[in-house]
Amino acid sequence: MPIPEEVTGDEIDKDVRQELQSLPKTLAEDVARNLVMVARLLDEDPETAYAYSKIALRLASRVAAVREAGGFAAYANQKYSEALAEFRAARRMTGSVELWPVMADCERGLGRPEKALDMAGAPEVHKLDKAGQVEMRLVAAGARRDMGQLDAAIVTLQSPELASNSVQPWTARLRYAYADALLAAGREQEAREWFAKAVESDRDGSTDASDRLAELDGVEFMDALDEEREGEGTVESPSAEDSGADKGADGEKD
């Protein structure tokens, strides 16, 4: 697949670059450039990102960072079985527990929420950093909802991180998940309060909390372009008086 000339491979994280040093120089550069394309396209064009990840895997499947990238590309395309296999491979290579939450979420995607909950209670969770523990809490709450246990999902999300007034990278998503669970349980007023809190903390627009809040408040938005087109398409009808002003008694123009 074509890669823009300006992509050199130097854009990748230094830790990944270090991993690639085990490869011949030319091969390492090719792999790095493909990994850069995966990272660039993962959110906006996951299918193409997946295609680049498959090339990287074909070139260097024994590199943990490549297996991890392949896992995230498969995950973004809802190929959960494949993603889980890649994440497991990366974990075997590194011994890191960092991927534990997303591995658990793959279990959810495969229709195994009970397995995800088992993972949420595993010793590996205690080895995660704060961000990882919050992510694991979100996955566990999602698994509870998959099982129809809304009240349990709400309780799962209640935590010091949720109650904290400080804004962290995970704050908006945690508040959003809590608001969404409250709404699903019919607790609309509480949900509104937490969607509002999610909006306050969502500095990079990672959630649609503002839209959900507006929806609860009964606010409807019209796209400015649609509004303009609608205005252009409206033709003012002539009044009955105007329409007959220059016509004779038989309806024909004089």
Side-chain angles (χ1 to χ4, degrees), residues 90-91 112 115 130 139 155 158 163 168 215 227 236:
R91 184 167 180 266
R112 301 194 291 249
K115 176 62 176 175
K130 181 61 69 176
V139 173
V155 171
Q158 292 170 346
Q168 303 295 334
E215 186 180 327
E227 196 173 40
E236 187 175 339

Side-chain angles (χ1 to χ4, degrees), residues 2 70 91 195 202:
R91 184 167 180 266
F195 275 127
D202 194 0

